[in-house]
């Protein structure tokens, strides 16, 4: 081993490009600020690789980034700011812990945190009806 020399795959290749080359529709990767040691920049590079049409995967369809690993409902807004709106939110224990007695209430809270509350859904349904032939 040569001191200062880096070996292996970069995060964006391992978690972004390789899953796409294998035909994955989504790429799950450890998010920053959770229980793993990934940085925000590393996670952004993975997300970019999921969408990129670079020389590494010019003819490969993009896949949805899905950051996970200790994510909470309270961090949804932050994740949307960093990764954009087109992502899969991998939130398990935090969602289940929100309201163990009423899973539907927990799901509604999740949708609200994701910017998709009941009002948004009603508004979209109203637009669909208005544009229907």
């Amino acid at each position: 081993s040569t001191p200062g020399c880096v070996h292996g795959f970069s995060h964006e290749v391992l978690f972004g490009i390789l899953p796409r080359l294998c035909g994955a529709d989504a790429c799950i990767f450890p998010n920053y600020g959770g229980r793993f040691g990934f940085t925000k920049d590393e996670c952004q590079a993975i997300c970019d690789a999921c969408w990129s049409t670079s020389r590494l995967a010019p003819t490969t369809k993009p896949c949805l980034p899905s950051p996970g690993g200790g994510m909470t409902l309270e961090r949804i807004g932050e994740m949307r700011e960093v990764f954009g709106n087109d992502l899969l939110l991998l939130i398990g224990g935090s969602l289940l812990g929100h309201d163990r007695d009423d899973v539907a209430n927990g799901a509604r809270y999740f949708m609200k945190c994701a910017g998709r509350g009941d009002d948004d859904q009603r508004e979209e349904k109203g637009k669909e009806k208005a544009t229907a032939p």
Side-chain angles (χ1 to χ4, degrees):
S1 166
T2 307
C5 186
V6 177
H7 299 280
F9 292 106
S10 66
H11 288 105
E12 58 262 43
V13 170
L14 183 61
F15 291 102
I17 301 295
L18 286 178
R20 288 176 56 194
L21 292 174
C22 294
D25 293 323
C27 167
I28 298 170
F29 59 93
N31 197 13
Y32 71 95
R35 60 179 172 250
F36 300 100
F38 283 47
T39 67
K40 186 176 182 178
D41 289 340
E42 290 168 334
C43 292
Q44 184 61 58
I46 294 167
C47 183
D48 292 345
C50 289
W51 295 109
S52 174
T53 57
S54 73
R55 64 179 173 76
L56 294 174
T59 60
T60 306
K61 291 182 181 179
C63 67
L64 283 171
S66 182
M71 296 301 93
T72 63
L73 293 166
E74 292 72 29
R75 291 198 58 206
I76 290 175
E78 174 189 356
M79 288 189 288
R80 289 178 63 207
E81 284 180 28
V82 172
F83 302 120
N85 290 327
D86 292 328
L87 75 154
L88 296 175
L89 296 168
L90 187 58
I91 299 173
S94 178
L95 179 60
L96 294 173
H98 176 72
D99 190 342
R100 289 198 178 273
D101 296 327
D102 187 352
V103 176
N105 186 41
R108 279 189 291 276
Y109 183 68
F110 170 81
M111 294 297 285
K112 180 179 178 186
C113 290
R116 300 292 303 195
D118 288 339
D119 292 338
D120 294 334
Q121 292 170 6
R122 278 193 288 265
E123 184 178 318
E124 281 190 24
K125 286 181 184 175
K127 286 179 186 175
E128 289 172 9
K129 288 180 182 176
T131 60

